[in-house]
Amino acid sequence: MPLNKHRKLSPVLSLAALILLLVLLIILEQHQSSNRMAVAVLQKGAILAVAAVAMNLPNGFTGIFSLGMAGFMSIGAYITAILTIPTDTIESVYYISGVAGWVMNLKRALDVLPQPLLVLVALLIGGLIAALFAFLIGIPVLRFKSDYLAIATLGFSEIIRALVASPQLDRVTNGSYGLKNIPGFATASGSGVLLIPFAIAAVCIFIMILVINSSYGRAFKAIREDDIAAEAMGINLLKHKELSFVISSFFTAISGGMLAMYMRSIDSKTFQVALTYDILLIVVIGGMGSVTGSIISAFLITAAKEWWLRFFDQTLYIGNWQVPLLRTGFRMVVFSILLMVVVLFYRRGLMGDREFSWEDILGLPQRWRHRRVAIAAAKAEAAAPKDGGQNDA
Amino acid sequence: MSLLEVKDLKVNYGGIKALKGISFTVEEGEIVTLIGSNGAGKSTTLKAISGLLKPAAGKIFYHGRDITGLDAQQTVDQGIVLVPEGRRIFPNLTVLENLKIGAYLRSDKAKIQQDLERVYDLFPRLKERSWQKGGTLSGGEQQMLAVGRALMARPQLLMMDEPSLGLAPLVVQDIFKIIGEINATGTTVLLIEQNASAALGLAQRGYVMVTGEINLEGRGTELLANPSVQEAYLGSQKRRHGGGHRAGAAPELNQQA
């Protein structure tokens, strides 16, 4: 069977695609000054891919309608930022109220680590603290269902934002002034701008795929499909929902930390509900319950929003005639219309709940051929009795 | 010692008394059926035994141990498995995944594989369709999947809630035949049915429930012959021409709506 041939081929193709991607990233990294936009889009795409897959885990795989993403991202972002801002310049960031003593002590203790390790440790600490928060709020909140759960998690995310901006925490989070001087992805030599975020994203997504394909993942899907039946089969609903929620929050916080590194400066407004909606949009467009869908749509949507649709924002003259509608902000109108079209005609997103597979792609020409043959046969069949009738007459 | 002993079990839904204190026993190796009309409390009884509902009062003993108020995870672990009403298979998971969920609490891989083979022997249809999504199966196949999924948990006591619901009469016959086969391999069955004639024909003993109470009990064949049971659940000869066996299928048609 040809499909079997494709099955043997697909690991080879995956490896080839991976190497191609790696080469592409290295080339882009070496020519980053002339490809600023592509580099920025790929960085942000990788970050949002982690966030989208992390959001898909409870929303698409477990059936928990959670909208607390921005809150968990801000926990990760702030912790990563505070821990990685260079200790010798941090006083200038907190120039209004100064840095709390314990923060300084913690930073001095962590400064023994080399820079790349410090970043990893900071991301991990952010993830673990977000996971702890998720565990604690999950105990009361995950007893709710659907919309109630969404409202509760949304509320949590806003509380975190208010806390971060509160004057009481001025000496820790710098309150409403935000944090700057956050080191980016690049190492001292300027390399790694793309490879580092992609490597972190790949590891995060790989771990989440392992979770989804484990027996825990199967239990998550069972809960999504029918929670009563899942419970009747002995699956502890609250325990598994907690697990899914905590894992998701951990990786959401890591993506938040990466976002802080990408943006180099953050404040509490970065983590408004709009950020959650952006990620929700990526998940829905990619397909609820599809990891590859989330990844593809993270890059597509980021590229469309930040790059491909840019020209809609620029006033354009053809001779003396100004092309109507093209002005700042029109890009988002076009983007929204595109989204509506996608949602209207691809209600289940680009991938539905399927995953990308080479077998599907390679099998396409054959399936099209089968369909053409089938359609032709159906047409011939429909035509045949008509001819028969004419012959009789 | 009975396998399952229910003593004066009471369950409330808010202010409504769904079970007003019922007592019954299931012996090891038996098929016992609870029959009764809509709202008699049959499903509530099974849910309370399996731990999906918490009883307000009364005791449930399993192998002589008190299991009242345990949650579903613990009862499944002890071998009490429910095939829920309306099948409730997982529509977007494959047949194989559905079956694997049944064995979720077990960790003995070799025995799980054995049981999978056993389920496939019992339901060859499921083997043919193991890569198909559960939701694409026909009603009868979905019921088989629901039973197969429950068998994957290695039940000692298999509780079935209306397995004939919404199925064609021929398929119902198949399902009942298979329930008999499962019982013959040593699994005790507690069966809830509206299709009273089929259930009583299969079961050794039966209990008749009316609005939260048990008001009749006896051997299956005795109950079948009981005039008041015939009147209430089988449709007496006076009112119908079709005879008991056909009329027994009638309530399930109403149920579908």
Side-chain angles (χ1 to χ4, degrees), chain A residues 114-192:
Chain A
Q115 178 65 18
L117 201 59
L118 175 67
V119 169
L120 284 185
V121 168
L123 287 173
L124 277 178
I125 292 178
L128 289 174
I129 290 181
L132 180 72
F133 267 86
F135 175 74
L136 292 177
I137 70 152
I139 295 170
V141 159
L142 289 175
R143 286 166 208 276
F144 297 136
K145 282 199 171 152
S146 58
D147 345 17
Y148 301 101
L149 180 61
I151 293 166
T153 46
L154 202 62
F156 160 78
S157 149
E158 281 299 284
I159 290 170
I160 292 288
R161 199 168 67 82
L163 273 180
V164 160
S166 70
Q168 283 77 12
L169 283 179
D170 263 358
R171 284 160 60 77
V172 180
T173 64
N174 210 15
S176 52
Y177 305 107
L179 295 174
K180 55 181 197 292
N181 279 358
I182 305 166
F185 289 111
T187 55
S189 62
S191 63

Side-chain angles (χ1 to χ4, degrees), chain A residues 6-314:
Chain A
H6 295 155
R7 191 166 297 162
K8 275 187 206 139
L9 215 64
S10 63
V12 182
L13 282 173
S14 302
L15 192 68
L18 204 68
I19 292 171
L20 195 70
L21 177 72
L22 210 60
V23 170
L24 204 75
L25 289 181
I26 291 170
I27 293 175
L28 258 179
E29 224 173 57
Q30 276 160 355
H31 301 90
Q32 47 178 298
S33 51
S34 50
N35 294 298
R36 273 252 177 69
M37 188 56 95
V39 169
V41 162
L42 284 173
Q43 281 178 322
K44 200 169 182 198
I47 295 164
L48 290 180
V50 176
V53 176
M55 189 178 200
N56 215 333
L57 184 63
N59 285 280
F61 287 96
T62 322
I64 304 170
F65 191 15
S66 154
L67 292 179
M69 308 300 288
F72 294 117
M73 282 182 95
S74 73
I75 294 175
Y78 266 85
I79 290 173
T80 307
I82 292 168
L83 293 184
T84 57
I85 294 174
T87 313
D88 42 348
T89 62
I90 196 161
E91 293 290 352
S92 68
V93 176
Y94 288 74
Y95 66 100
I96 297 204
S97 28
V99 196
W102 64 272
V103 174
M104 272 319 257
N105 291 337
L106 183 65
K107 281 186 67 63
R108 290 216 179 87
L110 284 173
D111 268 350
V112 295
L113 299 171
Q115 178 65 18
L117 201 59
L118 175 67
V119 169
L120 284 185
V121 168
L123 287 173
L124 277 178
I125 292 178
L128 289 174
I129 290 181
L132 180 72
F133 267 86
F135 175 74
L136 292 177
I137 70 152
I139 295 170
V141 159
L142 289 175
R143 286 166 208 276
F144 297 136
K145 282 199 171 152
S146 58
D147 345 17
Y148 301 101
L149 180 61
I151 293 166
T153 46
L154 202 62
F156 160 78
S157 149
E158 281 299 284
I159 290 170
I160 292 288
R161 199 168 67 82
L163 273 180
V164 160
S166 70
Q168 283 77 12
L169 283 179
D170 263 358
R171 284 160 60 77
V172 180
T173 64
N174 210 15
S176 52
Y177 305 107
L179 295 174
K180 55 181 197 292
N181 279 358
I182 305 166
F185 289 111
T187 55
S189 62
S191 63
V193 203
L194 282 172
L195 287 181
I196 290 174
F198 269 75
I200 300 174
V203 170
C204 292
I205 291 171
F206 180 69
I207 295 173
M208 284 188 273
I209 291 175
L210 286 186
V211 170
I212 288 165
N213 290 335
S214 71
S215 65
Y216 285 115
R218 205 180 299 130
F220 293 165
K221 289 182 214 163
I223 294 171
R224 168 192 75 188
E225 300 281 304
D226 191 325
D227 52 347
I228 293 173
E231 197 182 3
M233 295 323 299
I235 294 171
N236 185 328
L237 295 187
L238 198 60
K239 192 182 122 197
H240 285 86
K241 285 182 180 177
E242 272 279 0
L243 189 66
S244 166
F245 192 54
V246 165
I247 294 174
S248 154
S249 308
F250 176 82
F251 288 110
T252 307
I254 288 190
S255 78
M258 289 164 76
L259 190 67
M261 294 172 74
Y262 165 80
M263 295 175 70
R264 310 292 299 271
S265 69
I266 54 171
D267 61 51
S268 65
K269 286 198 197 70
T270 316
F271 302 98
Q272 278 170 329
V273 184
L275 181 61
T276 302
Y277 293 152
D278 280 348
I279 301 164
L280 179 66
L281 192 100
I282 291 173
V283 172
V284 171
I285 299 290
M288 300 277 264
S290 169
V291 174
T292 39
S294 289
I295 299 170
I296 294 169
S297 109
F299 284 102
L300 271 184
I301 288 194
T302 310
K305 206 162 128 181
E306 313 272 340
W307 186 10
W308 296 336
L309 299 181
R310 277 273 170 202
F311 71 92
F312 285 112
D313 269 11
Q314 276 140 17

